């Protein structure tokens, strides 16, 4: 497994790099040997603590992401690695429950973003609060899956919402994480 350890305005020592590489290798051996690699990035957070961000692509567009803040860099890494391990454990348990579709097309990473400038405000609009910038993603992966698989994908992609094509109905649905921690499900109304 290729583990890249980097520091963003933080020096990463040899022992921290070795510990990060060894722990990520142990996690992938235990739960998911097909994992390709991981990027571990250390940085400085607020209150003079350390942050650790881990991004690990697993398979066919599934990317695990975890972050953690702590007073020590190694503690920050261990917290983020524990979160990655929890995500991988959930993913492998779900894979055991569901058969993986080997005929699925491979994931092609081709994301492009377009940022639209805000419109020139009129006199009445200048009195209102600032307008948010609109960011349009021009190409996204919309998977065909059941609702439970979509929840798993949303958790693994570490996103607050996911649009998917419901395999039971063939309609586009959306799930999202509510503020109370539950999952919301939006299904189109058919007359």
């Amino acid at each position: 497994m290729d583990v890249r350890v980097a520091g963003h305005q933080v020096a990463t020592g040899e022992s921290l790099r070795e510990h990060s590489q060894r722990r990520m290798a142990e996690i992938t051996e235990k739960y998911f040997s097909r994992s390709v690699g991981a990027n571990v990035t250390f940085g400085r957070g607020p209150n003079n603590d350390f942050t650790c961000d881990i991004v690990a692509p697993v398979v066919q567009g599934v990317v695990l992401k975890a972050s953690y803040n702590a007073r020590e860099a190694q503690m920050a890494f261990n917290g983020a690695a524990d979160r990655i391990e929890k995500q991988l454990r959930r993913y492998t348990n779900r894979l055991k429950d569901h058969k993986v579709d080997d005929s699925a097309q491979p994931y092609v990473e081709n994301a492009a973003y377009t940022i639209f400038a805000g419109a020139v405000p009129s006199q009445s609009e200048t009195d209102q609060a600032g307008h948010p910038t609109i960011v349009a993603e021009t190409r996204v992966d919309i998977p065909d899956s059941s609702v439970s698989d979509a929840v798993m994908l949303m958790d693994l992609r570490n996103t607050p919402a996911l649009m998917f094509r419901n395999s039971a109905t063939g309609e586009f649905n959306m799930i999202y994480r509510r503020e109370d921690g539950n999952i919301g499900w939006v299904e189109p109304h058919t007359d």
Side-chain angles (χ1 to χ4, degrees):
M1 176 178 191
D2 179 30
V3 179
R4 296 181 184 174
V5 180
H8 181 67
Q9 298 177 348
V10 171
T12 58
E14 187 63 32
S15 65
L16 183 61
R17 277 195 293 275
E18 288 176 3
H19 174 70
S20 301
Q21 291 171 343
R22 184 177 59 252
R23 175 81 192 275
M24 292 303 295
E26 289 171 359
I27 290 171
T28 55
E29 280 181 31
K30 183 175 181 181
Y31 292 105
F32 203 79
S33 61
R34 291 182 285 175
S35 182
V36 176
N39 292 323
V40 180
T41 307
F42 293 94
R44 281 288 184 183
N47 303 323
N48 204 24
D49 59 352
F50 289 92
T51 63
C52 178
D53 298 316
I54 301 175
V55 178
V58 180
V59 65
Q60 292 185 1
V62 177
V63 178
L64 304 177
K65 298 178 186 177
S67 297
Y68 201 80
N69 295 340
R71 292 275 179 208
E72 302 283 330
Q74 190 163 355
M75 290 171 53
F77 169 75
N78 287 335
D82 288 343
R83 289 181 176 173
I84 289 287
E85 186 173 12
K86 183 178 181 181
Q87 291 175 7
L88 270 174
R89 184 174 53 247
R90 286 180 179 169
Y91 182 63
T92 54
N93 288 340
R94 294 239 176 135
L95 283 179
K96 289 177 185 176
D97 294 340
H98 302 286
K99 184 179 183 313
V100 177
D101 184 13
D102 293 331
S103 65
Q105 293 183 359
Y107 175 71
V108 177
E109 189 171 327
N110 187 11
Y113 296 93
T114 305
I115 300 176
F116 298 101
V120 179
S122 66
Q123 183 63 22
S124 64
E125 291 176 339
T126 55
D127 297 335
Q128 298 175 357
H131 299 285
T133 303
I134 299 170
V135 179
E137 296 183 23
T138 57
R139 183 176 172 125
V140 294
D141 173 32
I142 300 177
D144 288 335
S145 66
S146 65
V147 177
S148 62
D149 287 345
V151 171
M152 176 187 66
L153 284 172
M154 183 178 72
D155 287 341
L156 291 173
R157 292 180 181 182
N158 201 21
T159 59
L162 177 73
M163 178 179 271
F164 65 100
R165 185 182 301 268
N166 192 331
S167 59
T169 63
E171 297 289 327
F172 286 108
N173 289 197
M174 188 182 89
I175 55 171
Y176 61 96
R177 187 163 308 278
R178 297 167 41 110
E179 289 183 12
D180 61 4
N182 293 321
I183 303 294
W185 175 21
V186 179
E187 187 173 29
H189 183 337
T190 56
D191 289 331

